[in-house]
Amino acid sequence: MAPKKDDYSFFANVFEVVKLIPPGRVTSYGAVAAYLGSKGSARMVGWALISSHEQNKNVPAHRVVNRTGLLTGKQHYTSPTAMQESLEKEGIRVENDQVVDFKQLFWDPAKELL
DNA sequence: ATCCTGACTTGAC
DNA sequence: GGTCAAGCCAGGA
């Protein structure tokens, strides 16, 4: 949901947005960060996702990739192929750790969610 | 308190 | 289309 105030931590905000990502779609860290208002804090989005792994949050982190569509976070998964398989499972084609038609599958919270 | 690292992004060459 | 360097914020040592 739209951040009403900064009462919630940056992480909680990331979780909300990521959980709102529709299936078969992907987004970038910068897009989420920009939606949160911290455009330059794209790294924090990834950091928040790490925390999400520790917690039992139902955050589809596999739907979040870097700007080039590269599965940068796959190495942080339990298995280096878990992320790619999860994406393919939703119908997203992944090739060489990169999302095919990433631009087409890109989901911008600032525009789509609005 | 400083220094380093990191699931990133952008601009410049 | 590549690579290099700088900026960015949070957390751990």
Side-chain angles (χ1 to χ4, degrees), chain A residues 29 43-44 53 67 76:
Chain A
Y29 304 90
R43 290 181 142 162
M44 301 305 91
H53 252 280
R67 189 181 93 61
H76 284 261

PDB file of all heavy atoms in Angstrom, chain A residues 29 43-44 53 67 76, chain B residues 5-10:
ATOM      1  N   TYR A  29      15.013  -3.153  -8.301  1.00  0.00           N
ATOM      2  CA  TYR A  29      15.231  -2.568  -6.986  1.00  0.00           C
ATOM      3  C   TYR A  29      15.035  -1.055  -7.051  1.00  0.00           C
ATOM      4  O   TYR A  29      14.424  -0.449  -6.175  1.00  0.00           O
ATOM      5  CB  TYR A  29      16.642  -2.885  -6.494  1.00  0.00           C
ATOM      6  CG  TYR A  29      16.917  -4.357  -6.479  1.00  0.00           C
ATOM      7  CD1 TYR A  29      17.447  -4.992  -7.599  1.00  0.00           C
ATOM      8  CD2 TYR A  29      16.620  -5.116  -5.353  1.00  0.00           C
ATOM      9  CE1 TYR A  29      17.695  -6.352  -7.583  1.00  0.00           C
ATOM     10  CE2 TYR A  29      16.866  -6.477  -5.342  1.00  0.00           C
ATOM     11  CZ  TYR A  29      17.404  -7.094  -6.457  1.00  0.00           C
ATOM     12  OH  TYR A  29      17.642  -8.433  -6.454  1.00  0.00           O
ATOM     13  N   ARG A  43      20.052  -0.142  -3.150  1.00  0.00           N
ATOM     14  CA  ARG A  43      20.764  -1.208  -2.432  1.00  0.00           C
ATOM     15  C   ARG A  43      20.013  -1.624  -1.188  1.00  0.00           C
ATOM     16  O   ARG A  43      20.040  -2.766  -0.777  1.00  0.00           O
ATOM     17  CB  ARG A  43      22.153  -0.711  -2.034  1.00  0.00           C
ATOM     18  CG  ARG A  43      23.038  -0.562  -3.243  1.00  0.00           C
ATOM     19  CD  ARG A  43      24.412  -0.090  -2.791  1.00  0.00           C
ATOM     20  NE  ARG A  43      25.412  -0.746  -3.602  1.00  0.00           N
ATOM     21  CZ  ARG A  43      26.646  -0.324  -3.713  1.00  0.00           C
ATOM     22  NH1 ARG A  43      27.012   0.751  -3.072  1.00  0.00           N
ATOM     23  NH2 ARG A  43      27.476  -0.952  -4.434  1.00  0.00           N
ATOM     24  N   MET A  44      19.332  -0.673  -0.578  1.00  0.00           N
ATOM     25  CA  MET A  44      18.615  -0.978   0.647  1.00  0.00           C
ATOM     26  C   MET A  44      17.473  -1.927   0.368  1.00  0.00           C
ATOM     27  O   MET A  44      17.087  -2.726   1.212  1.00  0.00           O
ATOM     28  CB  MET A  44      18.074   0.309   1.255  1.00  0.00           C
ATOM     29  CG  MET A  44      19.157   1.317   1.573  1.00  0.00           C
ATOM     30  SD  MET A  44      20.440   0.682   2.633  1.00  0.00           S
ATOM     31  CE  MET A  44      21.612   0.072   1.429  1.00  0.00           C
ATOM     32  N   HIS A  53      14.195 -12.847   3.966  1.00  0.00           N
ATOM     33  CA  HIS A  53      14.517 -14.274   3.931  1.00  0.00           C
ATOM     34  C   HIS A  53      14.613 -14.828   5.342  1.00  0.00           C
ATOM     35  O   HIS A  53      14.224 -15.942   5.620  1.00  0.00           O
ATOM     36  CB  HIS A  53      15.856 -14.488   3.208  1.00  0.00           C
ATOM     37  CG  HIS A  53      15.643 -15.093   1.872  1.00  0.00           C
ATOM     38  ND1 HIS A  53      15.425 -16.442   1.694  1.00  0.00           N
ATOM     39  CD2 HIS A  53      15.566 -14.536   0.639  1.00  0.00           C
ATOM     40  CE1 HIS A  53      15.246 -16.682   0.402  1.00  0.00           C
ATOM     41  NE2 HIS A  53      15.334 -15.546  -0.265  1.00  0.00           N
ATOM     42  N   ARG A  67      18.294  -3.859 -12.608  1.00  0.00           N
ATOM     43  CA  ARG A  67      17.788  -3.084 -13.730  1.00  0.00           C
ATOM     44  C   ARG A  67      17.970  -3.801 -15.071  1.00  0.00           C
ATOM     45  O   ARG A  67      17.196  -3.646 -15.987  1.00  0.00           O
ATOM     46  CB  ARG A  67      18.480  -1.723 -13.779  1.00  0.00           C
ATOM     47  CG  ARG A  67      17.830  -0.830 -14.778  1.00  0.00           C
ATOM     48  CD  ARG A  67      18.536   0.495 -14.837  1.00  0.00           C
ATOM     49  NE  ARG A  67      19.545   0.513 -15.837  1.00  0.00           N
ATOM     50  CZ  ARG A  67      19.357   0.337 -17.151  1.00  0.00           C
ATOM     51  NH1 ARG A  67      18.189   0.004 -17.587  1.00  0.00           N
ATOM     52  NH2 ARG A  67      20.316   0.487 -17.983  1.00  0.00           N
ATOM     53  N   HIS A  76      21.854 -15.762  -3.326  1.00  0.00           N
ATOM     54  CA  HIS A  76      21.465 -15.682  -1.917  1.00  0.00           C
ATOM     55  C   HIS A  76      20.369 -16.679  -1.576  1.00  0.00           C
ATOM     56  O   HIS A  76      19.986 -16.819  -0.430  1.00  0.00           O
ATOM     57  CB  HIS A  76      20.976 -14.273  -1.591  1.00  0.00           C
ATOM     58  CG  HIS A  76      22.115 -13.319  -1.470  1.00  0.00           C
ATOM     59  ND1 HIS A  76      22.645 -12.929  -0.267  1.00  0.00           N
ATOM     60  CD2 HIS A  76      22.854 -12.702  -2.415  1.00  0.00           C
ATOM     61  CE1 HIS A  76      23.641 -12.097  -0.487  1.00  0.00           C
ATOM     62  NE2 HIS A  76      23.780 -11.947  -1.775  1.00  0.00           N
TER      63      HIS A  76
ATOM     64  P    DT B   5      35.927  -3.866   1.639  1.00  0.00           P
ATOM     65  OP1  DT B   5      36.846  -4.989   1.370  1.00  0.00           O
ATOM     66  OP2  DT B   5      35.934  -2.656   0.781  1.00  0.00           O
ATOM     67  O5'  DT B   5      34.434  -4.427   1.663  1.00  0.00           O
ATOM     68  C5'  DT B   5      34.067  -5.403   2.650  1.00  0.00           C
ATOM     69  C4'  DT B   5      32.562  -5.640   2.601  1.00  0.00           C
ATOM     70  O4'  DT B   5      31.874  -4.525   3.192  1.00  0.00           O
ATOM     71  C3'  DT B   5      32.015  -5.813   1.180  1.00  0.00           C
ATOM     72  O3'  DT B   5      31.333  -7.046   1.063  1.00  0.00           O
ATOM     73  C2'  DT B   5      31.048  -4.649   0.993  1.00  0.00           C
ATOM     74  C1'  DT B   5      30.722  -4.232   2.413  1.00  0.00           C
ATOM     75  N1   DT B   5      30.418  -2.791   2.567  1.00  0.00           N
ATOM     76  C2   DT B   5      29.261  -2.431   3.208  1.00  0.00           C
ATOM     77  O2   DT B   5      28.465  -3.240   3.663  1.00  0.00           O
ATOM     78  N3   DT B   5      29.052  -1.072   3.308  1.00  0.00           N
ATOM     79  C4   DT B   5      29.875  -0.076   2.838  1.00  0.00           C
ATOM     80  O4   DT B   5      29.571   1.101   2.990  1.00  0.00           O
ATOM     81  C5   DT B   5      31.075  -0.523   2.176  1.00  0.00           C
ATOM     82  C7   DT B   5      32.032   0.467   1.616  1.00  0.00           C
ATOM     83  C6   DT B   5      31.287  -1.844   2.073  1.00  0.00           C
ATOM     84  P    DG B   6      30.964  -7.552  -0.396  1.00  0.00           P
ATOM     85  OP1  DG B   6      31.072  -9.015  -0.399  1.00  0.00           O
ATOM     86  OP2  DG B   6      31.651  -6.757  -1.429  1.00  0.00           O
ATOM     87  O5'  DG B   6      29.405  -7.175  -0.447  1.00  0.00           O
ATOM     88  C5'  DG B   6      28.505  -7.696   0.529  1.00  0.00           C
ATOM     89  C4'  DG B   6      27.131  -7.037   0.372  1.00  0.00           C
ATOM     90  O4'  DG B   6      27.216  -5.665   0.794  1.00  0.00           O
ATOM     91  C3'  DG B   6      26.646  -7.044  -1.076  1.00  0.00           C
ATOM     92  O3'  DG B   6      25.321  -7.558  -1.171  1.00  0.00           O
ATOM     93  C2'  DG B   6      26.684  -5.592  -1.489  1.00  0.00           C
ATOM     94  C1'  DG B   6      26.554  -4.853  -0.155  1.00  0.00           C
ATOM     95  N9   DG B   6      27.181  -3.539  -0.180  1.00  0.00           N
ATOM     96  C8   DG B   6      28.378  -3.202  -0.749  1.00  0.00           C
ATOM     97  N7   DG B   6      28.668  -1.936  -0.631  1.00  0.00           N
ATOM     98  C5   DG B   6      27.589  -1.408   0.051  1.00  0.00           C
ATOM     99  C6   DG B   6      27.327  -0.084   0.463  1.00  0.00           C
ATOM    100  O6   DG B   6      28.015   0.913   0.298  1.00  0.00           O
ATOM    101  N1   DG B   6      26.118   0.019   1.132  1.00  0.00           N
ATOM    102  C2   DG B   6      25.271  -1.016   1.368  1.00  0.00           C
ATOM    103  N2   DG B   6      24.142  -0.736   2.018  1.00  0.00           N
ATOM    104  N3   DG B   6      25.494  -2.257   0.987  1.00  0.00           N
ATOM    105  C4   DG B   6      26.678  -2.381   0.330  1.00  0.00           C
ATOM    106  P    DA B   7      25.386  -8.963  -1.976  1.00  0.00           P
ATOM    107  OP1  DA B   7      25.453 -10.140  -1.111  1.00  0.00           O
ATOM    108  OP2  DA B   7      26.489  -8.697  -2.904  1.00  0.00           O
ATOM    109  O5'  DA B   7      23.953  -9.000  -2.675  1.00  0.00           O
ATOM    110  C5'  DA B   7      23.849  -9.277  -4.021  1.00  0.00           C
ATOM    111  C4'  DA B   7      22.570  -8.754  -4.610  1.00  0.00           C
ATOM    112  O4'  DA B   7      21.475  -9.619  -4.248  1.00  0.00           O
ATOM    113  C3'  DA B   7      22.154  -7.346  -4.224  1.00  0.00           C
ATOM    114  O3'  DA B   7      21.809  -6.634  -5.387  1.00  0.00           O
ATOM    115  C2'  DA B   7      20.943  -7.532  -3.345  1.00  0.00           C
ATOM    116  C1'  DA B   7      20.348  -8.823  -3.913  1.00  0.00           C
ATOM    117  N9   DA B   7      19.526  -9.558  -2.947  1.00  0.00           N
ATOM    118  C8   DA B   7      19.665  -9.641  -1.593  1.00  0.00           C
ATOM    119  N7   DA B   7      18.795 -10.405  -1.009  1.00  0.00           N
ATOM    120  C5   DA B   7      18.004 -10.854  -2.059  1.00  0.00           C
ATOM    121  C6   DA B   7      16.894 -11.691  -2.106  1.00  0.00           C
ATOM    122  N6   DA B   7      16.359 -12.293  -1.049  1.00  0.00           N
ATOM    123  N1   DA B   7      16.340 -11.929  -3.304  1.00  0.00           N
ATOM    124  C2   DA B   7      16.862 -11.363  -4.368  1.00  0.00           C
ATOM    125  N3   DA B   7      17.919 -10.557  -4.455  1.00  0.00           N
ATOM    126  C4   DA B   7      18.455 -10.337  -3.249  1.00  0.00           C
ATOM    127  P    DC B   8      22.971  -5.848  -6.201  1.00  0.00           P
ATOM    128  OP1  DC B   8      23.113  -6.457  -7.512  1.00  0.00           O
ATOM    129  OP2  DC B   8      24.142  -5.571  -5.370  1.00  0.00           O
ATOM    130  O5'  DC B   8      22.206  -4.451  -6.379  1.00  0.00           O
ATOM    131  C5'  DC B   8      20.801  -4.358  -6.209  1.00  0.00           C
ATOM    132  C4'  DC B   8      20.354  -2.969  -6.648  1.00  0.00           C
ATOM    133  O4'  DC B   8      21.247  -2.001  -6.093  1.00  0.00           O
ATOM    134  C3'  DC B   8      20.389  -2.787  -8.161  1.00  0.00           C
ATOM    135  O3'  DC B   8      19.308  -1.959  -8.577  1.00  0.00           O
ATOM    136  C2'  DC B   8      21.722  -2.105  -8.393  1.00  0.00           C
ATOM    137  C1'  DC B   8      21.859  -1.262  -7.139  1.00  0.00           C
ATOM    138  N1   DC B   8      23.274  -1.020  -6.778  1.00  0.00           N
ATOM    139  C2   DC B   8      23.720   0.288  -6.749  1.00  0.00           C
ATOM    140  O2   DC B   8      22.925   1.198  -6.991  1.00  0.00           O
ATOM    141  N3   DC B   8      25.024   0.519  -6.466  1.00  0.00           N
ATOM    142  C4   DC B   8      25.856  -0.487  -6.213  1.00  0.00           C
ATOM    143  N4   DC B   8      27.116  -0.196  -5.943  1.00  0.00           N
ATOM    144  C5   DC B   8      25.406  -1.836  -6.225  1.00  0.00           C
ATOM    145  C6   DC B   8      24.120  -2.060  -6.515  1.00  0.00           C
ATOM    146  P    DT B   9      19.099  -1.665 -10.130  1.00  0.00           P
ATOM    147  OP1  DT B   9      17.665  -1.568 -10.416  1.00  0.00           O
ATOM    148  OP2  DT B   9      19.958  -2.577 -10.912  1.00  0.00           O
ATOM    149  O5'  DT B   9      19.717  -0.194 -10.201  1.00  0.00           O
ATOM    150  C5'  DT B   9      19.251   0.785  -9.277  1.00  0.00           C
ATOM    151  C4'  DT B   9      19.655   2.186  -9.741  1.00  0.00           C
ATOM    152  O4'  DT B   9      21.012   2.453  -9.327  1.00  0.00           O
ATOM    153  C3'  DT B   9      19.603   2.378 -11.264  1.00  0.00           C
ATOM    154  O3'  DT B   9      18.958   3.611 -11.560  1.00  0.00           O
ATOM    155  C2'  DT B   9      21.049   2.382 -11.697  1.00  0.00           C
ATOM    156  C1'  DT B   9      21.799   2.830 -10.458  1.00  0.00           C
ATOM    157  N1   DT B   9      23.135   2.218 -10.306  1.00  0.00           N
ATOM    158  C2   DT B   9      24.218   3.033 -10.056  1.00  0.00           C
ATOM    159  O2   DT B   9      24.126   4.247  -9.950  1.00  0.00           O
ATOM    160  N3   DT B   9      25.410   2.391  -9.930  1.00  0.00           N
ATOM    161  C4   DT B   9      25.641   1.033 -10.022  1.00  0.00           C
ATOM    162  O4   DT B   9      26.764   0.577  -9.892  1.00  0.00           O
ATOM    163  C5   DT B   9      24.460   0.231 -10.290  1.00  0.00           C
ATOM    164  C7   DT B   9      24.598  -1.241 -10.429  1.00  0.00           C
ATOM    165  C6   DT B   9      23.280   0.852 -10.413  1.00  0.00           C
ATOM    166  P    DT B  10      18.697   4.025 -13.119  1.00  0.00           P
ATOM    167  OP1  DT B  10      17.384   4.675 -13.180  1.00  0.00           O
ATOM    168  OP2  DT B  10      18.992   2.859 -13.973  1.00  0.00           O
ATOM    169  O5'  DT B  10      19.824   5.124 -13.383  1.00  0.00           O
ATOM    170  C5'  DT B  10      20.118   6.089 -12.379  1.00  0.00           C
ATOM    171  C4'  DT B  10      21.391   6.834 -12.736  1.00  0.00           C
ATOM    172  O4'  DT B  10      22.542   6.053 -12.380  1.00  0.00           O
ATOM    173  C3'  DT B  10      21.513   7.147 -14.233  1.00  0.00           C
ATOM    174  O3'  DT B  10      21.704   8.540 -14.420  1.00  0.00           O
ATOM    175  C2'  DT B  10      22.729   6.360 -14.694  1.00  0.00           C
ATOM    176  C1'  DT B  10      23.503   6.138 -13.405  1.00  0.00           C
ATOM    177  N1   DT B  10      24.312   4.912 -13.362  1.00  0.00           N
ATOM    178  C2   DT B  10      25.609   4.982 -12.912  1.00  0.00           C
ATOM    179  O2   DT B  10      26.117   6.014 -12.536  1.00  0.00           O
ATOM    180  N3   DT B  10      26.294   3.798 -12.909  1.00  0.00           N
ATOM    181  C4   DT B  10      25.823   2.569 -13.301  1.00  0.00           C
ATOM    182  O4   DT B  10      26.536   1.580 -13.250  1.00  0.00           O
ATOM    183  C5   DT B  10      24.451   2.553 -13.768  1.00  0.00           C
ATOM    184  C7   DT B  10      23.848   1.286 -14.232  1.00  0.00           C
ATOM    185  C6   DT B  10      23.767   3.709 -13.772  1.00  0.00           C
TER     186       DT B  10
END
